[in-house]
Amino acid sequence: MNHTPALKRPPHHLATLLVACSLVTLLGCGGATQSALSPVYEDNRPEVLQRVAQQVAQDPTREPEVAVVVTLSEPGVAVVDLSTQATRWQKPADLTTVPFLCGQAVVAQDGSDVVVWAVEDGRELFRKSTAGMALVGAGGSGDDVAFALSSGTGVGAESAVYLLRKGSVRWSHRAAFSFGKPSVAGGLVFLPWANQQVSALSVDNGDEVARLRVLDGVIASSEARDGAVYLGRDLITRFGPEALQGVAFQKPRVDLPAQPKLMLFGEGQAEGPLSAVLRVRFALGFDQTKAAAPADDTLYFAYHKVLFGLSADAQLGRWGTTFNAPLVGIKATKGGALVMTEEGELLGIAPTGARESLGTLSLGPITYATFGTLPALEVSEAPSDTVQSLARVTAEADTAMQPARILALKWLADSPAPSATEELVRFCVDPGLPSTLMEAACAHLEHRTQGAQAVLTALEQHASFLNEIPAPPLKPLARAAASLKAVDAVPLLVAHLEDPATSEASLPMIVDALGELLQLEEAAPHKQQGETALLAFLDQYRSESAESALLPVLQSLVLRLADLDRATAAPALQRILEDPFAAAPLKGTVDQVMSQHENAAPGDDAAATAGAEDH
Amino acid sequence: MRTETIYQGAMNRHRVPSRPLVPRSRLRPRRMCLGLATAFALFALGTPAASQAQELGVTEASALLESDNADEVRMAIEAMGLVKGNRGVAPLVARIEAGLPTNLLVAALMTLAQAGQPAARPAIEANARHRDPEVRVAALAAAAACKIAGVGAMLRRGLDDLDPRVRAEAARGLGSLGPGQKERDTSAQALLQAIAREEAGAAVALALIANQEHAADLLGLLGQVPLPRLEGALATLLQRRDMALPVKAQVVEALAKTATPHAKAFLLSQRDLLKAQRGVPKNLIDDIEAAAARIAE
């Protein structure tokens, strides 16, 4: 809970107010009221914010149960009933921004005009040139529509906000700073401006009745949902006194592809229907019992044609699901999400990842969809299994989905389940997978603690020219076997140690894994086999030259053998010292190990004696 | 003869660069003696008293094998290769088991191949899965030449090796074991698999061990595998004296059916080769001529 610095400010003096009034005049803030959007305003008054929040709760945004879609084959906009999927109307348009559903109206930029159509029948209610500015965003409730225009986002940006009622301008304000995306609820327009302020303006006359200033993050967009107004960009906070306490839902600190913002729009011209920004995005419903928290503790993350269900902090990927076509629209609420694909298919998605098709529109390809009030989402399909669903996304054949596949693999690896190990092995040994994914799967595999059977099965495979079988990725498999303490891997690792198809690069890991496993008590049944194989390997290759690629392996093996049974290793080490062809570096390692033995031996004896005396 | 060719090639590949022996002043008395003994032994090999020289060679070469000088060990290995019978085998096997650098190991295995003694088995088996492919090649060559127990399985495993040199040697080895080898069907199956994987040499090897059934399998590949890759095998089938005439007739007929200029040229070249050999049935040559005549220019 952080108090914003705004609360610590000293009270305004009269002189300050006078200067402020002069500034307002100089800046030319026009419109119905002089007081609105003034640079000096007594903001962040908890009792005022509380009153406004209550007003919104009593008079929430009213939106019809429709989808507004942008069509491609006949470029334009259409409104579809969500319950029947029947098209209410379709209009040709040259949309330069996405359309916004604003109560009973649809607002978009058509060429260089802002156009307002009636949701009911598509009547054009309003058209006005943007006069060199661009549509930033719009919101509405019932017959009230507010839209904001801006000439840019930087210092000196010209902006204007308009309130229309049934298509007629009721009031407007202009300012010399940037506006964000407005929303309408409780008889008020919530207008973000200058990245930090949000003014609540009366829909009747434009008077500013409250102002919230947030210093914790950028406030670019506002959205009225379920009796509250949410504000933000990389964080989301609710308009109300709790925002002063720093209560906000922060964008998860997770490295996600394209790094989407939590809230769309509000920074300069609204995105066009084909913008890539709209294909990689978050969606969340709001838990009304909390100031700013995702409903169902679920954050939805869409990446083109993949949708993930994440824990609210996005640290945990709970499920992933792939669609036939990219997602062009998504809206989440408590109880699930509604999505639309580029093919016009509508699907209900449960917070568990279960999905159900609700039908397909007959409007051809859709490039963008936005939804009003959602129908009740009832998904009968069984909840998705985390591992299986993420594995399916990882295995997705579309190479364009690679960032999503890597993400799915990461979340898959977070699962400690044995089935996750099984999937990681599958991806690690799949030569058909892009190398990045294969390497990532192998890297994740090395740290598994459950699911040894899959590793053992993979280790059973050996390279075969005749059967066209490649050598398995032994480095990660050997490490995984050691990490899993899979003592049954000893004979399998021995077989790979003896297989000439095993690469030199894999041998150190095999030697290390055998060394680690053979020290475990559970490995007793395999101890003799393992040690004999290691000694035989050392004997067979001890005469290798100093230039041999095997030399580091042999040195590592000497060190490992020293950790095992010294009495067993000693003759093999002695043979190296006596071999006239053994490389000097190898002899050096043996010398080092043997002198360590000699130095350690008296201490060991002393310790053993002390132990005996204690008893 | 073939074994010797391999031996020479391998020996050249693995010859230690010629360098002076350890300076005389640093030679210990034992090594000096060995050096002199070797010089004498090698000189003696070229004299009329060959048997005496060879007798001396084995003894001295055995001692020289224990040298810690690579050149001397190489000389000893080469000297063992000149020893008739199996007297050189045991010292070589012992030396291999005691450990040798790769180049000397290859030379020693090739010497064992030349000796062709089944007693070499332990050293061959121990190195058939050596990490160095040239050692594996030498071990397989030795296994085939010595016809050690289990050679078929060893060679079939070699056919599955990832290194093409090892596979080629394995195919050659399987072919050299001839049609009388144990588990011939298993070997033929492995060779057919190798042909499908475009392993050069597998087709000729199969032709060398084939019975009527295997020959039919080979002919079944005509049309699937380019003729140039099967020419060696088909020629082998036509020239094998132990192959039944009807099988040869099937080969000729299958080639005629391909009706390609290449097949015609091949048939005519085979006719000329067989004509030059004694004891080839005239009707086979007639069949070949007739088949070639059926193929348009």
Side-chain angles (χ1 to χ4, degrees):
Chain A
M1 293 292 201
N2 297 320
H3 291 277
T4 62
L7 291 176
K8 296 170 187 164
R9 285 187 317 169
H12 300 293
H13 296 291
L14 182 62
T16 318
L17 286 169
L18 285 171
V19 171
C21 288
S22 313
L23 273 171
V24 170
T25 314
L26 282 170
L27 287 167
C29 298
T33 56
Q34 284 295 312
S35 62
L37 311 179
S38 154
V40 179
Y41 187 92
E42 197 171 353
D43 57 20
N44 289 356
R45 292 174 61 193
E47 71 283 5
V48 177
L49 298 178
Q50 180 64 43
R51 196 169 60 238
V52 168
Q54 281 171 353
Q55 194 174 325
V56 171
Q58 285 159 12
D59 181 17
T61 301
R62 284 162 286 132
E63 279 181 336
E65 209 173 277
V66 296
V68 182
V69 300
V70 178
T71 51
L72 187 66
S73 11
E74 290 175 48
V77 62
V79 168
V80 177
D81 269 313
L82 283 176
S83 51
T84 61
Q85 279 128 50
T87 305
R88 282 198 188 181
W89 53 265
Q90 187 175 7
K91 293 268 179 191
D94 173 23
L95 296 182
T96 48
T97 70
V98 296
F100 294 90
L101 177 63
C102 307
Q104 290 298 335
V106 175
V107 179
Q109 184 169 334
D110 180 13
S112 57
D113 292 345
V114 174
V115 187
V116 181
W117 294 283
V119 166
E120 190 181 6
D121 52 14
R123 268 178 304 122
E124 189 172 296
L125 300 173
F126 178 85
R127 179 176 284 269
K128 177 183 168 55
S129 165
T130 57
M133 293 190 281
L135 179 65
V136 176
S141 177
D143 292 329
D144 291 331
V145 170
F147 67 85
L149 306 172
S150 261
S151 62
T153 53
V155 175
E158 287 292 321
S159 304
V161 60
Y162 289 83
L163 189 284
L164 312 181
R165 181 165 292 165
K166 294 189 174 177
S168 303
V169 178
R170 197 159 178 87
W171 53 260
S172 68
H173 293 313
R174 296 181 73 84
F177 40 75
S178 62
F179 283 171
K181 176 189 168 298
S183 59
V184 179
L188 296 165
V189 173
F190 292 84
L191 178 69
W193 53 277
N195 290 331
Q196 288 184 329
Q197 325 273 349
V198 184
S199 291
L201 310 166
S202 163
V203 292
D204 294 324
N205 53 27
D207 282 355
E208 185 166 5
V209 300
R211 185 182 298 179
L212 171 67
R213 183 160 55 92
V214 177
L215 296 178
D216 297 338
V218 172
I219 302 294
S221 193
S222 72
E223 191 177 346
R225 298 269 300 269
D226 310 322
V229 173
Y230 297 93
L231 314 156
R233 189 188 69 172
D234 289 329
L235 59 73
I236 298 180
T237 188
R238 189 163 72 176
F239 194 100
E242 60 273 11
L244 301 177
Q245 313 300 318
V247 178
F249 175 63
Q250 298 284 348
K251 181 180 159 184
R253 293 180 189 279
V254 174
D255 191 18
L256 294 173
Q259 286 299 331
K261 296 175 174 63
L262 271 178
M263 288 187 84
L264 293 171
F265 311 119
E267 292 182 290
Q269 181 171 11
E271 283 76 11
L274 293 169
S275 168
V277 170
L278 303 171
R279 299 287 186 269
V280 182
R281 55 180 285 195
F282 287 114
L284 68 163
F286 293 99
D287 186 339
Q288 290 167 274
T289 63
K290 294 175 183 162
D296 307 311
D297 190 36
T298 299
L299 186 62
Y300 299 87
F301 172 63
Y303 186 90
H304 297 274
K305 58 182 196 176
V306 178
L307 183 68
F308 291 104
L310 317 179
S311 60
D313 59 3
Q315 294 296 328
L316 201 63
R318 292 194 182 124
W319 49 263
T321 184
T322 307
F323 300 88
N324 293 333
L327 296 177
V328 294
I330 175 166
K331 183 174 183 179
T333 185
K334 187 167 173 57
L338 184 71
V339 299
M340 187 181 286
T341 69
E342 205 173 68
E343 292 170 347
E345 186 181 11
L346 268 168
L347 297 109
I349 311 289
T352 58
R355 58 194 247 186
E356 187 155 314
S357 179
L358 305 174
T360 303
L361 308 186
S362 52
L363 290 165
I366 305 295
T367 57
Y368 178 77
T370 184
F371 307 111
T373 303
L374 298 187
L377 294 171
E378 286 173 10
V379 180
S380 54
E381 193 186 85
S384 291
D385 172 82
T386 298
V387 169
Q388 294 308 316
S389 72
L390 292 171
R392 273 196 296 273
V393 173
T394 308
E396 167 65 41
D398 190 345
T399 50
M401 292 300 106
Q402 185 138 324
R405 298 168 70 188
I406 289 172
L407 209 52
L409 187 68
K410 176 195 167 298
W411 283 319
L412 171 69
D414 286 342
S415 166
S419 57
T421 308
E422 205 174 304
E423 295 296 347
L424 287 171
V425 168
R426 181 163 72 92
F427 294 129
C428 178
V429 303
D430 183 357
L433 222 56
S435 58
T436 323
L437 273 167
M438 246 182 108
E439 285 162 15
C442 292
H444 288 307
L445 192 58
E446 292 173 16
H447 311 290
R448 302 302 294 175
T449 54
Q450 288 187 58
Q453 190 49 53
V455 173
L456 296 177
T457 306
L459 278 171
E460 279 170 10
Q461 181 184 303
H462 282 258
S464 163
F465 168 78
L466 293 179
N467 297 309
E468 294 185 72
I469 298 172
L474 291 168
K475 280 161 78 173
L477 289 173
R479 281 191 183 142
S483 167
L484 289 157
K485 300 189 181 351
V487 292
D488 289 340
V490 169
L492 303 171
L493 290 169
V494 163
H496 283 291
L497 181 73
E498 292 168 348
D499 189 342
T502 301
S503 71
E504 260 93 17
S506 301
L507 287 172
M509 286 65 176
I510 293 177
V511 167
D512 284 350
L514 280 171
E516 282 179 41
L517 292 170
L518 289 174
Q519 288 191 59
L520 300 173
E521 271 182 35
E522 301 86 337
H526 305 294
K527 198 168 172 65
Q528 196 185 351
Q529 185 193 7
E531 286 183 2
T532 305
L534 290 172
L535 288 168
F537 190 90
L538 191 60
D539 263 338
Q540 185 164 25
Y541 299 106
R542 66 161 191 261
S543 308
E544 289 286 310
S545 71
E547 293 75 36
S548 167
L550 278 182
L551 191 63
V553 183
L554 296 169
Q555 287 175 300
S556 160
L557 186 47
V558 166
L559 294 171
R560 277 292 173 191
L561 283 171
D563 293 337
L564 299 173
D565 186 351
R566 288 179 198 175
T568 313
L573 299 182
Q574 193 59 42
R575 282 196 290 275
I576 293 175
L577 291 179
E578 290 168 1
D579 187 336
F581 300 114
L586 181 61
K587 287 185 172 179
T589 310
V590 173
D591 274 335
Q592 180 195 329
V593 164
M594 289 185 110
S595 61
Q596 277 171 2
H597 279 192
E598 281 163 18
N599 293 336
D604 290 349
D605 293 347
T609 311
E613 282 169 2
D614 288 346
H615 285 87
Chain B
M1 285 302 286
R2 188 186 60 77
T3 306
E4 282 172 11
T5 310
I6 294 167
Y7 169 73
Q8 288 299 336
M11 290 295 273
N12 290 335
R13 282 199 299 278
H14 294 283
R15 190 172 290 280
V16 173
S18 175
R19 59 182 167 87
L21 295 179
V22 180
R24 195 179 175 79
S25 59
R26 291 176 57 197
L27 281 176
R28 288 169 293 172
R30 176 179 160 268
R31 289 179 55 195
M32 201 156 59
C33 290
L34 284 172
L36 288 170
T38 306
F40 176 74
L42 292 174
F43 169 77
L45 288 171
T47 65
S51 65
Q52 191 185 356
Q54 279 181 7
E55 194 65 41
L56 186 63
V58 172
T59 311
E60 293 306 327
S62 295
L64 201 57
L65 276 176
E66 304 306 317
S67 169
D68 56 4
N69 180 287
D71 288 338
E72 289 177 359
V73 175
R74 173 174 291 281
M75 273 196 284
I77 291 168
E78 288 175 1
M80 289 294 187
L82 300 173
V83 174
K84 284 186 179 171
N86 63 359
R87 285 174 304 158
V89 171
L92 269 179
V93 168
R95 188 63 190 91
I96 288 171
E97 287 176 342
L100 278 174
T102 305
N103 53 354
L104 294 178
L105 179 57
V106 171
L109 286 166
M110 286 306 186
T111 303
L112 288 177
Q114 193 182 30
Q117 298 295 325
R121 183 180 169 190
I124 293 168
E125 274 182 347
N127 289 289
R129 305 256 294 156
H130 193 279
R131 293 196 57 76
D132 191 305
E134 303 218 8
V135 174
R136 299 203 293 280
V137 167
L140 292 186
C146 299
K147 293 191 170 51
I148 62 168
V151 60
M154 191 183 286
L155 292 169
R156 286 194 294 274
R157 183 180 248 188
L159 212 50
D160 200 22
D161 199 286
L162 298 189
D163 192 285
R165 292 165 292 179
V166 180
R167 294 198 299 272
E169 188 56 48
R172 262 197 296 273
L174 282 171
S176 76
L177 296 181
Q181 66 182 273
K182 286 181 186 169
E183 298 171 350
R184 174 167 69 164
D185 286 347
T186 316
S187 295
Q189 202 54 44
L191 286 166
L192 270 171
Q193 238 182 314
I195 296 167
R197 295 279 285 122
E198 301 185 12
E199 178 51 48
V204 170
L206 180 56
L208 283 168
I209 69 168
N211 60 17
Q212 191 167 349
E213 224 170 89
H214 308 140
D217 289 337
L218 252 178
L219 291 177
L221 295 173
L222 268 175
Q224 298 172 41
V225 175
L227 182 55
R229 275 179 37 211
L230 291 176
E231 272 179 1
L234 299 177
T236 303
L237 287 177
L238 289 173
Q239 286 169 35
R240 254 179 64 183
R241 290 183 185 279
D242 60 342
M243 185 55 72
L245 205 53
V247 175
K248 295 183 180 185
Q250 282 170 10
V251 172
V252 172
E253 185 57 27
L255 280 164
K257 278 185 182 164
T258 65
T260 62
H262 197 110
K264 180 170 188 152
F266 174 72
L267 281 167
L268 292 174
S269 71
Q270 288 304 305
R271 176 203 60 189
D272 296 343
L273 277 172
L274 291 168
K275 260 186 177 175
Q277 291 173 14
R278 275 185 296 179
V280 176
K282 190 176 176 301
N283 53 352
L284 174 62
I285 292 169
D286 291 345
D287 279 356
I288 293 174
E289 270 178 354
R294 275 155 54 199
I295 301 173
E297 288 291 343

